[in-house]
Amino acid sequence: MTIQEPAVARPAGRPRSEKAEKAIIEATLDLLGEGMGVSELSIEAIASRAGVGKTTIYRRWSNKEDLIVDALATLKAPLPELGGTSVRDDLISLLGAMRAEAGQPRSRCVMNIAMSEADRYPRLMERFVERAITPRREAMRAVIERGIASGELDPGLDVDMGMALLSGTMLWHTKWGPEGELDPGLPERVVDVVMAGIAARP
């Protein structure tokens, strides 16, 4: 007599749920990347592109704006682990994340579309900034403030100005600089040029 092993029940729905969410996010980014504006984008169009029903989308997102925020947030590179030993190294790591996300083929197009409609959808942009931009600002602020406290940076440095010099220069290169792949050494070059002006004097 053969004793059969008891059947192991599989978790119901989880893999399928993750697959559906990925398809919905990708469909949203594809449609935006193809030039469809936020106002034109509809749940029906997203569902059709993703191959899911509208109810599948509404089970996860209560409205179109929430879905777009989550989709845009996936274009942001994860915050890097910061060593904390050198302000210069940590700033290079943070700007390296900006370079990485700018290197995604659809990032430039999608983000330009989103930003151009910020006035029409202020809540959308407010939530996107809260979720994707603010953590990066806080990380950079913490590094600069640490540099001031340690004596690596000018004690009289305006922190907001330092942040603007660093992120603004990277933004210029990623949005308005020459087409093509960004120089891998760009974050290091930007940090070195800016630190020449904000580093503590001997």
Side-chain angles (χ1 to χ4, degrees):
M1 177 177 175
T2 303
I3 300 177
Q4 295 183 341
E5 293 290 334
V8 178
R10 295 180 179 178
R14 186 60 182 170
R16 186 177 180 181
S17 172
E18 291 176 353
K19 183 178 179 181
E21 287 186 14
K22 186 176 187 300
I24 293 165
I25 292 292
E26 290 294 316
T28 304
L29 293 174
D30 285 344
L31 290 169
L32 289 171
E34 290 166 10
M36 185 175 288
V38 174
S39 57
E40 302 170 286
L41 188 65
S42 66
I43 294 296
E44 290 80 2
I46 296 169
S48 176
R49 176 66 66 93
V52 301
K54 289 192 296 182
T55 54
T56 302
I57 296 177
Y58 282 120
R59 277 198 296 268
R60 293 161 175 78
W61 294 276
S62 59
N63 56 60
K64 177 178 70 174
E65 287 78 9
D66 287 346
L67 169 53
I68 292 173
V69 167
D70 284 351
L72 293 179
T74 66
L75 297 176
K76 305 297 287 182
L79 274 172
E81 292 286 338
L82 301 179
T85 56
S86 163
V87 167
R88 177 181 180 273
D89 289 347
D90 285 352
L91 290 175
I92 290 172
S93 294
L94 290 172
L95 296 196
M98 291 182 68
R99 178 191 173 275
E101 63 200 31
Q104 298 181 52
R106 59 187 172 188
S107 289
R108 185 176 299 194
C109 179
V110 170
M111 292 304 297
N112 284 344
I113 291 171
M115 295 300 290
S116 69
E117 300 204 47
D119 290 341
R120 297 184 63 184
Y121 295 91
R123 178 56 182 158
L124 186 156
M125 291 313 302
E126 179 184 332
R127 289 202 57 239
F128 176 69
V129 167
E130 177 184 338
R131 174 167 177 187
I133 305 298
T134 298
R136 287 158 175 76
R137 286 178 178 166
E138 291 176 347
M140 185 174 288
R141 178 179 294 278
V143 171
I144 292 176
E145 289 178 343
R146 192 186 81 228
I148 294 172
S150 69
E152 293 174 78
L153 300 180
D154 186 339
L157 173 64
D158 181 323
V159 175
D160 288 326
M161 182 63 71
M163 292 169 62
L165 289 169
L166 290 159
S167 56
T169 304
M170 282 297 295
L171 187 63
W172 185 89
H173 279 280
T174 58
K175 285 190 171 295
W176 298 289
E179 292 291 336
E181 184 178 358
L182 290 172
D183 176 8
L186 179 62
E188 185 174 0
R189 285 166 41 216
V190 170
V191 169
D192 284 344
V193 168
V194 173
M195 283 197 67
I198 67 175
R201 298 291 181 266

